[in-house]
Amino acid sequence: MNMDPRIALTALTNALEEHLSAAVNRRGEDDPSVEAAFYNISDAFEAYEDALFASTGEVTPLDLYDEDADDGDDIIDEDDDLDEDVEED
């Protein structure tokens, strides 16, 4: 069953507001309410993206940050490439 993208968008904006509230009212460095709100945004965003695509065939220009992905494996550092191309005199 497909969700209405408007309902999913409302859930996403609510998740963002809850995250802001949790961040502002943070109780320490590792406040579990902030972490829970973080993951709620992720879930709500994915639901919105799926509902939007199912309804319209469109997607957002946003990507979720994946903490588990290896950092920098697929990023080419242009400065490193330039250094290799320059001949030393």
Side-chain angles (χ1 to χ4, degrees), residues 40-61:
N40 287 340
I41 290 173
S42 178
D43 293 342
F45 174 76
E46 287 181 9
Y48 172 66
E49 184 100 329
D50 291 345
L52 181 65
F53 185 77
S55 177
T56 66
E58 294 294 327
V59 295
T60 67

Side-chain angles (χ1 to χ4, degrees), residues 18-41:
E18 290 171 10
H19 184 266
L20 174 60
S21 180
V24 168
N25 297 307
R26 164 177 259 146
R27 295 177 307 255
E29 195 65 32
D30 295 323
D31 188 335
S33 65
V34 176
E35 182 177 354
F38 173 91
Y39 288 111
N40 287 340
I41 290 173

